[in-house]
Amino acid sequence: MNSAPMEFHKIWIDQCKATEGISEKFGLEDALNYLIGEKLFSFLHAAERDPLFAVEVPAFIAEIQRLFTAQEIRDYLDHLERTRYLAPQEVDLEPEPDEDIEEEEAWLENPVMGAEELLRFARVRQLLQS
């Protein structure tokens, strides 16, 4: 049994390893969605509040750049920008009373969260394309 404490700020290492299997089994788009669209955004959010995460960001970025080509990253970020960040939002004029806003889309309803998410996207683009 491994008695070493879990170092949550190093979780990106396991996530990158998992990405290779995701890419082989489900394809490039799913791998990009998983590692950049989900895990990197979450990691940067944590890094904004925790210096242990912040110090890991450069290594995480370097590993993403090793796993994907510059063109794959650029195409994915362009797609994300068009479909999520700059896409016109559909307004549901009659939401169901018990309908919960998915956490992923909660930022669309809150201008502060929306601004933070847009800034995080800009940071992702800058980090991955520099």
Side-chain angles (χ1 to χ4, degrees):
M1 182 173 195
N2 187 358
S3 62
M6 176 64 173
E7 296 182 280
F8 289 106
H9 61 282
K10 295 200 181 254
I11 192 76
W12 66 268
I13 296 168
D14 291 335
Q15 293 168 340
C16 289
K17 288 178 187 172
T19 299
E20 293 173 330
I22 292 169
S23 184
E24 290 173 12
K25 190 169 184 174
F26 300 103
L28 177 64
E29 184 178 349
D30 283 349
L32 288 161
N33 280 329
Y34 169 76
L35 193 59
I36 297 174
E38 293 177 30
K39 302 308 178 187
L40 180 58
F41 275 81
S42 295
F43 198 88
L44 288 177
H45 184 74
E48 292 166 4
R49 292 162 175 74
D50 187 330
L52 291 175
F53 281 80
V55 77
E56 294 292 321
V57 170
F60 190 6
I61 294 297
E63 185 62 8
I64 291 171
Q65 291 170 326
R66 186 191 71 77
L67 290 168
F68 302 107
T69 68
Q71 187 63 50
E72 289 168 341
I73 292 169
R74 185 174 19 265
D75 290 348
Y76 177 72
L77 293 174
D78 289 347
H79 169 76
L80 201 58
E81 182 176 59
R82 281 189 318 273
T83 60
R84 182 168 182 190
Y85 293 101
L86 297 181
Q89 302 303 315
E90 294 180 18
V91 177
D92 187 359
L93 298 176
E94 296 182 29
E96 297 297 319
D98 61 344
E99 185 178 0
D100 290 329
I101 297 174
E102 292 182 28
E103 183 178 323
E104 180 180 313
E105 296 179 5
W107 67 273
L108 295 171
E109 301 295 323
N110 181 316
V112 173
M113 285 177 64
E116 289 172 344
E117 191 70 11
L118 287 171
L119 289 171
R120 202 168 292 119
F121 174 75
R123 183 166 183 226
V124 164
R125 184 179 285 282
Q126 177 196 24
L127 289 168
L128 288 173
Q129 294 186 321
S130 58

